Amino acid sequence: MAGGFLMEIRRGTQSALLVIRASAEDPGTPVEVSVSADSLEVRSSGSCAPAALPAGVRLAPSSCRGLRRLPGDGLHLRMRLRRPPPPADLAFTLRESLKPHKKYVFYCQSCGDIIVKDRKFLRVLPLPSENWNDLVEEWCCHPNPFARSTLHPQHDDCFLGDTFFMLNSGNESHVPESLMCCSETGHHASQSGFNLKSKENTRVICKRCKKMLGETISSDTIKYYVTEVIIQPSEGSFSPIPRSQFVQSMVAQCLLELSSAKSTFRFTVKGDNGKTYILIWLLNSDTLLVESLGSSSSLSVLTLFGDIFMPSSGPVGTWNAVKVLYQPCIKCRNKDLADAWENDMGVHPLKFPSETCLELLLMLGLSTASLPPSLRCMNSFQLHEIERRLRLRTSEPFQNFISNSS
């Protein structure tokens, strides 16, 4: 299949949108498409390219409708499914992965260096949302009783936030010095007596690769971001995960958990410097993407990120995705819209390291550019689909944050 294809399947509606990419060599060549329950076949210029669909995906050929050719896209076709595809695997969540009374090792996601070794927690507790203290006046008819109190983990505690977890660092002296993370001033993150005069001095970075991992909250409390650290049981071994796949998976999990728990579907992505980098609008989380790479000449067009299609994936890649709309806010872009969302109680902030926010924005842009032109925007937002797979067990158009379109 010279041009390859992209199929977006919605589990909720049991429907599918099929886009057969136009051949780069001759986009005007007549194409004949045959659809069966478990395969697609495209004939063009005397060649025939069949492609088997993944197990569990069964189409209803008689429901095909809306066939049309769009310049720059190829052929578009909508159809129904004979039965719902297999349910999505349960997303890996930090709350489910960390259990009391078990030992864990914390690795730097970027380089695999050990950050915390053989740590056992007696309590693993969720934190309230980051702006909970701002709402106390709405709950209480008397002065804020929590004005001078802080939520810091005690010895052998782990506190879980929306995008981070907090540890008490006072008992990490058993970790070898060469394995410790350090602040940007060169002091070890586990030592007390930090000088917290500036924001730079609170950053916690990996000693090996210099990647920012989190922040020091106090002399004995460290906050690590979920996009920067991999947590595995002590008896396991480190298994590297491509950076873009890991970041997409963790962000998708944050969106799913918060939308389910708080019934909110709009998010601002903020850096540790307080700046807003991205506005995200969650569209759906029941999308299954099926994509054929086609011939080698079309790989640069079809591949969303260099690390998504692994050699074991074969000619057809399949993954669960969350579809979002997004708007970049760097260099004062969409400032009025960002200000409006900032003051909207229905919008939830997500905080990550500033470098990760820029990485995420780049991933979104590359993913959007890989889509057929007609699927890249909706209203004023750009469209994107975020991969949910993880091996660990409106003034301007919004851009697609994940590779699907409606």
Side-chain angles (χ1 to χ4, degrees):
M1 193 172 293
F5 72 85
L6 173 67
M7 180 181 292
E8 175 190 339
I9 297 172
R10 293 290 306 278
R11 289 185 172 86
T13 59
Q14 297 186 39
S15 61
L17 169 65
L18 173 65
V19 179
I20 298 175
R21 306 269 188 165
S23 172
E25 292 79 9
D26 189 0
T29 302
V31 175
E32 181 180 340
V33 182
S34 298
V35 180
S36 65
D38 58 359
S39 66
L40 300 172
E41 187 174 272
V42 177
R43 296 183 180 91
S44 177
S45 301
S47 64
C48 177
L53 297 177
V57 176
R58 292 293 181 268
L59 305 176
S62 60
S63 67
C64 294
R65 57 183 175 84
L67 178 63
R68 56 178 179 156
R69 182 193 289 269
L70 295 181
D73 281 17
L75 296 178
H76 285 232
L77 181 65
R78 292 187 179 273
M79 64 194 77
R80 305 283 298 175
L81 304 182
R82 282 189 172 178
R83 61 174 181 266
D89 294 334
L90 293 177
F92 166 86
T93 64
L94 195 62
R95 288 173 174 80
E96 295 172 351
S97 67
L98 283 174
K99 301 294 184 183
H101 307 291
K102 290 186 177 181
K103 288 185 177 181
Y104 294 94
V105 178
F106 294 61
Y107 299 91
C108 170
Q109 193 280 325
S110 297
C111 70
D113 199 21
I114 296 179
I115 306 304
V116 179
K117 188 175 183 179
D118 294 335
R119 186 73 177 270
K120 181 189 290 187
F121 301 108
L122 299 182
R123 298 191 304 171
V124 179
L125 303 173
L127 287 168
S129 60
E130 290 196 40
N131 59 347
W132 69 274
N133 210 20
D134 298 334
L135 302 176
V136 171
E137 292 183 359
E138 304 294 333
W139 303 337
C140 302
C141 58
H142 49 77
N144 184 355
F146 309 106
R148 296 185 179 181
S149 61
T150 56
L151 295 176
H152 286 176
Q154 301 301 310
H155 184 79
D156 291 327
D157 282 349
C158 178
F159 288 176
L160 303 178
D162 293 336
T163 63
F164 63 89
F165 51 92
M166 289 198 305
L167 307 181
N168 186 295
S169 60
N171 61 342
E172 290 181 17
S173 58
H174 64 283
V175 181
E177 180 176 331
S178 61
L179 300 179
M180 298 295 290
C181 54
C182 58
S183 74
E184 288 197 335
T185 56
H187 294 82
H188 294 304
S190 65
Q191 304 301 317
S192 60
F194 270 101
N195 179 8
L196 303 180
K197 292 182 179 179
S198 69
K199 183 67 177 177
E200 286 297 308
N201 289 340
T202 71
R203 305 185 82 200
V204 176
I205 66 172
C206 175
K207 190 171 184 179
R208 176 192 287 176
C209 68
K210 308 305 180 183
K211 183 78 174 179
M212 179 179 175
L213 304 175
E215 305 172 32
T216 55
I217 304 303
S218 68
S219 61
D220 60 356
T221 302
I222 300 178
K223 176 171 75 174
Y224 293 105
Y225 290 103
V226 297
T227 53
E228 314 307 319
V229 176
I230 292 178
I231 305 173
Q232 290 188 336
S234 294
E235 60 270 17
S237 58
F238 178 75
S239 180
I241 301 173
R243 177 65 179 168
S244 67
Q245 180 183 323
F246 183 81
V247 171
Q248 287 186 90
S249 298
M250 298 311 297
V251 172
Q253 290 161 25
C254 290
L255 297 178
L256 289 175
E257 290 184 25
L258 290 169
S259 63
S260 175
K262 304 179 183 297
S263 296
T264 182
F265 304 96
R266 290 182 296 159
F267 304 88
T268 56
V269 176
K270 293 175 171 287
D272 61 287
N273 56 7
K275 295 181 180 179
T276 299
Y277 286 82
I278 314 170
L279 308 179
I280 292 180
W281 197 325
L282 176 62
L283 289 183
N284 66 65
S285 58
D286 66 346
T287 296
L288 174 66
L289 293 179
V290 181
E291 185 168 9
S292 167
L293 297 180
S295 65
S296 59
S297 63
S298 64
L299 291 181
S300 61
V301 178
L302 290 171
T303 304
L304 300 182
F305 303 106
D307 55 34
I308 281 188
F309 287 105
M310 310 304 292
S312 59
S313 300
V316 177
T318 305
W319 63 95
N320 297 303
V322 208
K323 184 191 287 188
V324 304
L325 300 174
Y326 73 95
Q327 281 283 25
C329 296
I330 58 175
K331 297 181 179 180
C332 296
R333 293 179 61 182
N334 302 301
K335 186 178 184 304
D336 292 342
L337 183 60
D339 290 343
W341 281 35
E342 184 74 25
N343 298 321
D344 191 330
M345 294 294 291
V347 178
H348 193 85
L350 298 176
K351 184 180 178 182
F352 300 105
S354 301
E355 296 88 345
T356 300
C357 296
L358 292 174
E359 284 182 278
L360 180 59
L361 186 56
L362 177 60
M363 294 174 196
L364 297 179
L366 292 174
S367 178
T368 300
S370 74
L371 292 172
S374 65
L375 305 182
R376 294 176 185 173
C377 292
M378 182 180 294
N379 296 330
S380 63
F381 284 79
Q382 299 181 49
L383 184 61
H384 175 73
E385 291 169 342
I386 303 176
E387 183 184 8
R388 291 172 55 184
R389 175 182 58 190
L390 188 59
R391 298 181 191 173
L392 289 182
R393 262 292 18 99
T394 345
S395 40
E396 296 179 2
F398 266 88
Q399 306 172 10
N400 272 349
F401 181 52
I402 305 181
S403 9
N404 245 5
S405 87
S406 57

